[in-house]
Amino acid sequence: MLLKGVSLPRARVVTLNAALGPLDYRVPDGMVVAPGSVVIAPLGPRQLIGVVWEAERLPSEEIGDNRLRPLAGLVDVLPIAAPLRRLAEWTADYYLSPLAAVLRMILPSSSALATPRQLIEYRPTNTVPPRLTPQREQAITRLVGRQGTIRELADIADVSDTVLRGLVTVGALEAIAVEADRPLPTPDPDFAPPDLSPEQHAAAHTLATATGFDPILLDGVTGSGKTEVYFEAIAACLRAGKQALVLLPEIALTEPFLTRFTTRFGCEPAAWHSGLRSSQRRRTWRGIASGEAAVTVGARSALFLPYRNLGLIIVDEAHEPSFKQEEGVQYHARDVAVMRARFEDIPVILSTATPAIETRHMVDIGRYREVALPSRFAGATLPSNAAIDLTQDPPMRGRWLAPTLVAEMQANLDAGEQSLLFLNRRGFAPLTLCRHCGHRFQCPNCTAWMVEHRLMRRLACHHCGHVEPPPRACPECGEEDSLVACGPGVERIADEVAALFPDARTAIVTSDTIWSPAKAAEFVRAMDAHEIDVVVGTQLVTKGYHFPNLTLVGVVDADLGLQGGDLRAAERSFQQISQVAGRAGRGDKPGRVFVQTHDPSAPVIAALVAGDAPGFIAAETAARREAAMPPFGRLAAIVISSEDSAEAEATARRIARAAPTVDGMAVFGPAPAPLAMLRGRHRQRILVHAARILDVQDVIRDWLGAVEWSAKVRVAVDVDPYSFL
Ligand code: ADP
Ligand code: ZN
């Protein structure tokens, strides 16, 4: 047994290179390493970053002492603590991934590991440059009160680096040296506590007094004040001198969250997401590792960072499917958050108005506690829901909005209130075809239609990003001006709104228009200032936003999400429509929700209109139990892909033939994936369905371990899959 701080003569090191197993090194004289130490390990001519691991937990072939190379260095950061090492092992085991791939999420920033350094930033002086070009003027106007690197300022000002360098030369911007690791601000738990309602107070008290491993579902209707309530748990965590982590499903939600957090705690929390620049990444990572970052808000990747003293995890909008990572280590951040809380022995709060069946089940079997907020804050009422039967009340030809919805929108505009139309389809039309020969535009790399984006004048593939200009003539038959758009996307709905209400100010909100926290902040500002009357948006607008003057929600096509029929299609539709409906009437004016459908009697629609969430969940849970589907059984998908379709098919067949016969496990396939080609790779799927009690990972590990395939074939295992494409 090794004691912390006791020097080892030799060390087993997991490097960040996923292709390598653990490697043994000699610890040179004078270097002190312990499990968790971050070290520099030589390999051939290279130097790899790695983490020292308990040798007894990681079998490796024994190498004689005399053949060991010495470690090249010890990185000056705190060792990765034992609970996080256990989480890394668990994640690698559960999701059948290399430990190195998980370590890369713990140590994602090589700059964070470098020695501290100074950084040059720039800020405006009061000098007006002699030659004031429009670009220079724009830069000067937008940079008032700002400071940052040239790159950061260029982004804010939306001008090129060259323009800013010009401004430095003429003295309109000045350089200042800053410490890259200047301290992060400290949130004050007593800065501006809210007056909680008695119901909120009781909930906040339960959350704030939780200790040890304690998973809690915070189940509150939309607008009940879940954020205000879990802020009190954060305040308690701060008072105890510990760090808190808040996971959000979308980086677009970060900006409104930062504002609310600042109002409550007096300064911004540390933010962690893919949009950070390397200097910010380094500063935040080091603040997290030193314990100085008291509260971190981030996307799922923030989950694996080495918090020195973590006291609380919150998963906001915990039902969101985007917590599932679909590439690399295919983990579900909600589930890993609970595991991290378990290893750290701390509470974890899953906050949502529409809990996933899996989460609800954990409450039912007594594994999670539930704290409920059944009513909206300040007497705001939940919106009234009605279905519009499109077979009885059809839109005009070539239109998508039923007369009833149009009349409601008119009334809302007249009343000076805001409306939201929800359609989960980006672009103008999901399919373009030639009216003359019927040719359909398909992505050259994927089994997917090209989607017309009229605003950008492009056809785009939503799977691989391939874009092309819309051709004037059909490439198949050569007929000119023969292309027709089929079906609606948000841009087409926005056109319809413009035709119906020429004076209404419309905004389209999708990942094409809101692609950064700054864009999201601008959208929120424009809504609050009532510069927008009608929002047309995808699932991006269904989450988190709070617009008091938004009183009407129209769901353009409630049947859309039910197509394809994967395991969670009904549940997801229910959550999505409940969430978008939850944007209506959050202030003192009541909200109305209209759901357009061809089948008002479908269970999802009927439950939504009746406001019968418990009934829907009970029926859905019963169906899952009946079919032994998650959470009552397990699924894992094996996706085999190659640029060569015959090779993908042959490998998939070989893998399927090698499947072991195990009681309680069934193997389906291989079959071409619904997305049979993706980014130029042909894909085959095998689906494994297993009983709850079976260690399906162990079975799959042995099974795949005994099969070989060519280097051009990729085999990815997706444990607890959310995508069935
Ligand atoms: P949820 O996350 O449950 O949808 P929010 O936390 O966003 O609800 O709260 C809805 C709105 O009500 C927000 O604007 C929030 O600031 C406000 N609110 C909730 N509780 C209080 C309170 N106790 N005092 C003041 N404002 C509150
Ligand atoms: Zn494509």
Side-chain angles (χ1 to χ4, degrees):
M1 197 58 209
L2 295 161
L3 296 174
K4 211 179 157 197
V6 172
S7 179
L8 313 177
R10 56 193 288 158
R12 187 151 296 170
V13 175
V14 185
T15 68
L16 299 191
N17 185 335
L20 298 172
L23 301 170
D24 285 358
Y25 287 90
R26 185 165 61 73
V27 180
D29 282 350
M31 188 188 287
V32 180
V33 303
S37 294
V38 182
V39 293
I40 300 168
L43 187 78
R46 289 182 300 158
Q47 306 239 304
L48 303 176
I49 298 276
V51 178
V52 176
W53 221 263
E54 292 91 333
E56 68 275 14
R57 301 183 71 95
L58 284 185
S60 168
E61 66 183 280
E62 282 298 330
I63 297 177
D65 279 347
N66 52 350
R67 288 175 47 216
L68 289 182
R69 288 183 73 178
L71 287 172
L74 179 63
V75 179
D76 180 26
V77 292
L78 288 171
I80 305 305
L84 184 50
R85 296 203 301 277
R86 301 294 83 84
L87 182 80
E89 288 168 354
W90 181 87
T91 305
D93 267 5
Y94 190 89
Y95 293 106
L96 294 161
S97 300
L99 188 52
V102 182
L103 279 189
R104 275 220 288 269
M105 303 194 282
I106 298 175
L107 299 167
S109 163
S110 48
S111 72
L113 303 178
T115 46
R117 63 196 162 103
Q118 279 198 332
L119 208 69
I120 302 298
E121 292 189 339
Y122 295 84
R123 66 178 176 209
T125 59
N126 288 325
T127 316
V128 178
R131 211 167 51 81
L132 198 59
T133 63
Q135 293 228 306
R136 285 184 166 187
E137 187 172 356
Q138 173 174 328
I140 287 174
T141 323
R142 296 203 187 170
L143 293 180
V144 174
R146 299 299 195 119
Q147 178 178 321
T149 60
I150 290 284
R151 203 68 286 275
E152 290 164 359
L153 295 184
D155 273 359
I156 296 169
D158 203 12
V159 298
S160 71
D161 293 14
T162 322
V163 171
L164 295 189
R165 298 212 181 277
L167 288 174
V168 176
T169 314
V170 299
L173 287 179
E174 65 181 347
I176 31 176
V178 292
E179 290 302 319
D181 300 323
R182 58 192 186 285
L184 295 161
T186 310
D188 173 3
D190 302 310
F191 184 76
D195 277 330
L196 297 178
S197 70
E199 189 184 75
Q200 289 176 330
H201 183 83
H205 181 76
T206 308
L207 300 185
T209 53
T211 52
F213 175 55
D214 192 358
I216 303 175
L217 167 63
L218 175 59
D219 176 12
V221 297
T222 52
S224 57
K226 292 185 290 297
T227 316
E228 304 297 335
V229 167
Y230 76 61
F231 274 177
E232 295 317 295
I234 295 179
C237 181
L238 288 171
R239 288 188 196 103
K242 296 195 167 161
Q243 293 170 286
L245 164 64
V246 182
L247 292 178
L248 299 179
E250 286 291 338
I251 77 164
L253 291 175
T254 315
E255 201 65 24
F257 181 89
L258 296 181
T259 312
R260 276 185 80 167
F261 188 91
T262 306
T263 309
R264 170 66 183 82
F265 294 102
C267 70
E268 286 196 352
W272 184 267
H273 53 72
S274 55
L276 292 185
R277 277 170 284 274
S278 75
S279 59
Q280 299 169 311
R281 195 163 270 271
R282 169 200 162 86
R283 181 177 174 217
T284 307
W285 190 90
R286 292 183 84 96
I288 284 168
S290 71
E292 181 201 332
V295 180
T296 303
V297 54
R300 55 183 180 240
S301 57
L303 184 54
F304 287 96
L305 299 177
Y307 301 89
R308 183 177 188 181
N309 186 14
L310 193 60
L312 174 68
I313 304 174
I314 289 156
V315 185
D316 202 356
E317 311 287 352
H319 61 279
E320 273 293 327
S322 54
F323 280 120
K324 176 72 188 336
Q325 163 109 2
E326 296 292 358
E327 268 159 27
V329 185
Q330 292 181 272
Y331 67 97
H332 198 305
R334 175 199 64 206
D335 298 343
V336 180
V338 174
M339 288 313 292
R340 178 142 200 191
R342 201 174 111 185
F343 288 119
E344 304 273 356
D345 198 27
I346 58 174
V348 52
I349 299 169
L350 308 183
S351 173
T352 168
T354 50
I357 302 277
E358 283 83 352
T359 306
R360 168 75 45 216
H361 177 67
M362 294 304 264
V363 173
D364 290 345
I365 62 173
R367 298 269 200 94
Y368 297 178
R369 289 202 281 161
E370 180 178 12
V371 170
L373 289 170
S375 52
R376 277 192 162 175
F377 175 69
T381 49
L382 282 167
S384 64
N385 296 347
I388 295 178
D389 184 345
L390 293 173
T391 64
Q392 302 300 311
D393 185 11
M396 288 189 320
R397 236 186 106 74
R399 296 275 171 96
W400 315 97
L401 304 177
T404 306
L405 181 52
V406 173
E408 292 288 343
M409 289 178 70
Q410 182 67 61
N412 228 42
L413 280 169
D414 293 344
E417 294 170 20
Q418 293 165 307
S419 307
L420 164 64
L421 296 177
F422 168 67
L423 177 64
N424 206 18
R425 255 189 194 156
R426 291 155 54 206
F428 185 83
L431 170 66
T432 302
L433 55 77
C434 168
R435 123 169 20 110
H436 190 242
C437 73
H439 174 74
R440 298 166 167 215
F441 285 82
Q442 196 179 334
C443 174
N445 312 319
C446 306
T447 315
W449 305 126
M450 295 295 283
V451 177
E452 183 184 356
H453 286 249
R454 208 162 268 193
L455 296 175
M456 298 187 291
R457 303 189 41 75
R458 287 271 187 287
L459 297 177
C461 170
H462 288 177
H463 294 285
C464 73
H466 173 80
V467 291
E468 38 187 77
R472 277 189 38 78
C474 172
E476 192 67 27
C477 69
E479 187 81 3
E480 289 201 10
D481 295 322
S482 68
L483 305 186
V484 282
C486 295
V490 285
E491 292 179 10
R492 197 170 200 175
I493 300 299
D495 276 8
E496 185 171 339
V497 172
L500 290 164
F501 313 107
D503 297 331
R505 295 157 303 172
T506 304
I508 296 175
V509 175
T510 72
S511 53
D512 300 309
T513 59
I514 307 283
W515 39 265
S516 70
K519 293 274 176 196
E522 171 53 23
F523 165 61
V524 171
R525 191 205 58 75
M527 278 297 280
D528 287 342
H530 202 162
E531 291 166 11
I532 298 168
D533 298 307
V534 181
V535 180
V536 186
T538 58
Q539 46 83 27
L540 206 62
V541 283
T542 64
K543 320 167 187 177
Y545 291 110
H546 178 78
F547 302 121
N549 197 41
L550 176 71
T551 52
L552 176 67
V553 166
V555 177
V556 176
D557 185 352
D559 309 333
L560 190 61
L562 293 170
Q563 293 160 8
D566 80 42
L567 170 65
R568 297 183 181 83
E571 180 191 15
R572 214 171 280 169
S573 278
F574 186 84
Q575 290 168 338
Q576 215 164 49
I577 297 175
S578 306
Q579 290 289 342
V580 71
R583 298 314 109 201
R586 292 168 69 95
D588 43 19
K589 299 170 199 151
R592 289 131 41 235
V593 179
F594 293 89
V595 179
Q596 299 197 138
T597 172
H598 285 92
D599 184 8
S601 66
V604 176
I605 310 289
L608 281 164
V609 171
D612 184 18
F616 174 78
I617 290 163
E620 195 62 20
T621 306
R624 297 258 191 107
R625 185 187 311 253
E626 182 79 13
M629 281 293 157
F632 305 100
R634 293 172 184 280
L635 291 178
I638 305 175
V639 176
I640 301 98
S641 68
S642 165
E643 286 177 10
D644 177 346
S645 95
E647 191 179 38
E649 211 176 304
T651 310
R653 257 189 275 117
R654 260 190 312 115
I655 290 178
R657 264 202 309 274
T661 310
V662 177
D663 244 7
M665 183 177 98
V667 177
F668 302 97
L675 201 51
M677 190 160 82
L678 176 64
R679 296 189 190 94
R681 299 182 72 88
H682 297 267
R683 304 167 75 241
Q684 294 271 329
R685 283 179 73 96
I686 294 171
L687 188 66
V688 181
H689 180 203
R692 186 85 234 160
I693 47 155
L694 197 73
D695 187 343
V696 72
Q697 286 90 342
D698 242 17
V699 173
I700 294 176
R701 202 176 288 117
D702 289 348
W703 165 11
L704 294 182
V707 186
E708 289 183 1
W709 49 83
S710 106
K712 287 177 293 175
V713 175
R714 223 179 281 151
V715 177
V717 184
D718 187 0
V719 178
D720 302 340
Y722 275 65
S723 165
F724 294 85
L725 288 178

